Amino acid sequence: MSKLSTGAEIVFKCLEDQNVEFIFGYPGGAVLPIYDELKNHSSIKHILVRHEQGAGHAAEGYARSSGKPGVVLVTSGPGATNVVTALTDAYMDSIPLVCISGQVPTHLIGTDAFQECDTTGITRPCTKHNWLVKDIKDLSKIIHDAFKVATTGRPGPVLVDIPKDIQFQKTKYTKPKREKKLNGKRQNNFDQKDIDELIKLMSKASKPIFYTGGGVINSGPKASTLLRELVDATGFPITSTLQGLGSFPGDDNSFLGMLGMHGTYEANNAMHDCDLMINIGARFDDRITGKIDEFSPKSKKVHIDIDPSSINKNVKVDLPIVGDVQDVITSTIKTIKKTKPNFAKSNKQKISKWWEQIQKWREKKSLDFINSDETIKPQYAVQRLYELTKGKDTFITTEVGQHQMWAAQHYKFDKPNRWMTSGGLGTMGYGLPAAVGVQIAHPTKLVIDIAGEASVLMTMQEMSTAVQYNLPIKIFILNNEYMGMVRQWQELLHDKNYSESYTAALPDFVKLAEAYGCVGIRATNPNELDDKIIEMLNTDRPVIFDCLVDKQENCFPMIPSGKPHNQMLLGPKDQEQNKITGKGKTLV
Amino acid sequence: MSKSAYSTPGKKGKFDKHIIVVWVDNEAGVLARVVGLFSGRGYNIESLAVAEVDAKLNISRITIVTTGTPQVIQQIKLQLKKLVPVHKVADFKREDKNVIFKEMALFKLVGNITKRKKALNACKKYNAVLLDKTNKSYVVQVTALRREIDLMSKNLKKLGLVSVSRTGAVAMTRGAEIFK
């Protein structure tokens, strides 16, 4: 008879067989047997966070920057409830996470025991699937299944809840079965006919656009390479969602910038006026579409997505193609090469008017802002950060708010997996722990969290984690003392009633950095900004960079919600030039 | 300009009544997953019937009566198919002539024999079975459509109906074919 292993041993054997190198976690009563076992498994390194939410976001940052699933280990009760925000965040942004939680012993479940909560009940709506292990014999299969569910199809978080008595019990460990299909759920469900139809639409279109999203990134780095080939082969313009940034080079002439609520004038107008929209791995989110009834009224819509339930959820499409982005693009390029080898050239004439129109929209320079010699404009700070880190293969995370949009607008990405931001759930406090996870995955790379002072305070405790593991993350705070996006909405839509959006007491971030044992740097005016950024980049330790920026700056362009794409608010420079008066002025 | 951070609702389509049949692994929490999907996404459940149908394969069959626009019904099916313990999902329009729908109800009737006989008589056309009788009472089982049971429970009030217990609808296609 083969050797029997305890539940705790089985957990680690599963992790080893799933090639897990790092787990992000926090110990507690109900996971002590698992923590006791940790010492016997040297290939797995545990990263001790300061709060379970931080473990979740760090695992997300790890997963998004490495393409591997992130693993989280938490205790029962508060350990599990604290990780719920991160699980929901991962669910919304399709990030593969495997969360293992301890639970009170089986015989105490349902008795309101100490640190008991209905973990599988609480996390059911924010995971792809979850399991409560009631029999030790099921444990290895469940954990292997958990990895499978998290990483296949549209990726997402899963949770395995293991009662403490199960962690002590013994049984035989079983290795993962290779290529087992879960209830026959296939990833690709398209055939050549769909691809032919797509190419027919492409050759008919005179105003086409690619609208790409996080699905391209999730499909793997190969998908991004193929996307570039596809854009080359067609000559079509391309725009990207917040999550898709990096799948196509941000400084390429075919790229119209990000679209959506704070997207560029050219991207949004092109989306509104196009006659063919090819959605690749995006989900018609409400921040993208604006008013649904007036969304891109004249276009044929193609939607390529791995998740069948994303199709026709928000916007009805003419040609759905269900499949992995990489496989769909591969087939498309192959067919173009075979049937229309000179497509881009022969089609150039047909879409030249469209490009002329796009050029006109571009001339609006919708991302421009009025710079200042006295105060640091937040956009300028991001631009300088970009210029000074360009070519360093930098990884950027963000918190949520104005700074996030400015980062998306002004930092140009040219590789996938370099941009980690909370898009779907919009979780303030995401960026700092995410940066911890990114730096774990890429110890020698430059990792910067472009942050706001309000967001970063929500998970500031993770600086302590960064110091413990010598992770030289850079927290670049655009400090305007306001919850900037809240303030902006209050200014534009609530008669400048800045209700509770000003933080009257902020810590001294430089001293705070010193207290954590890292380095604090402050920049107060544009003249010293470059030198201070260079000082930050030359510091081989974690840095909190307190960049004092203009307190009143708003993030433009902006589509007010409930408005279609062609009714954007532009920035102050444009208003000055066009002398908007009367009604137009009251809008801004 | 809208003061909301979200858009205003768009045009609503026409609502249809559908019967959704879901085959699931009979495991802990599976019903909560299905029902939670409906409540979480704001779908409507008019009735629900669930029981194990294959003890060997451990399969339960859930029958849900719901209403929604064609787009919502489509979403319900696709979202259900994404759940890990779900094997297959069938969807029938309420008007579909190829599908049999039945609900069961138990009526407790208390009163004099004349009234009770009259009540039993009224139930006859709905496959009435007298399950229990005493000097004062009957318990009658009927199987019928939802609206028929609605009507009976209303009409029997004056004939001594004191308690009603009823199931959700179950459905099955006519003919030799089964849903794959």
Side-chain angles (χ1 to χ4, degrees), chain A residues 222 347 401 412:
Chain A
K222 182 92 190 296
N347 205 43
K412 310 275 178 245

Side-chain angles (χ1 to χ4, degrees), chain B residues 2-13:
Chain B
S2 161
K3 284 197 178 183
S4 166
Y6 296 88
S7 59
T8 43
K11 294 177 211 106
K12 277 242 167 90

Side-chain angles (χ1 to χ4, degrees), chain A residues 68 145 294 297 404 484 512 533 586:
Chain A
K68 291 188 276 187
D145 280 354
E294 289 172 54
Q404 177 190 30
L512 189 62
I533 292 178
T586 59

Side-chain angles (χ1 to χ4, degrees), chain A residues 124 129-130 134 149 183 185 286-287 293 307-309 311-314 489 493-495 560-562 587, chain B residues 1-7 10-11 25 27-29 32-33 71 75 78-79 81-87:
Chain A
R124 200 173 287 131
H129 195 62
N130 59 21
K134 284 184 170 159
V149 173
N183 280 346
K185 283 178 169 51
D286 64 274
R287 301 290 106 163
D293 296 342
D307 174 11
S309 73
I311 289 168
N312 293 333
K313 181 170 69 182
N314 301 330
W489 280 77
L493 298 159
H494 293 272
D495 304 323
S561 54
L587 287 181
Chain B
M1 184 155 45
S2 161
K3 284 197 178 183
S4 166
Y6 296 88
S7 59
K11 294 177 211 106
D25 288 326
E27 61 184 30
R33 285 181 209 284
Q71 208 174 345
Q75 269 295 301
L78 293 170
Q79 294 289 353
K81 281 183 190 168
K82 271 168 70 176
L83 297 179
V84 171
V86 168
H87 289 262

Side-chain angles (χ1 to χ4, degrees), chain A residues 121-136:
Chain A
I122 290 169
T123 58
R124 200 173 287 131
C126 60
T127 53
K128 278 183 83 179
H129 195 62
N130 59 21
W131 294 262
L132 170 62
V133 183
K134 284 184 170 159
D135 186 339
I136 178 75

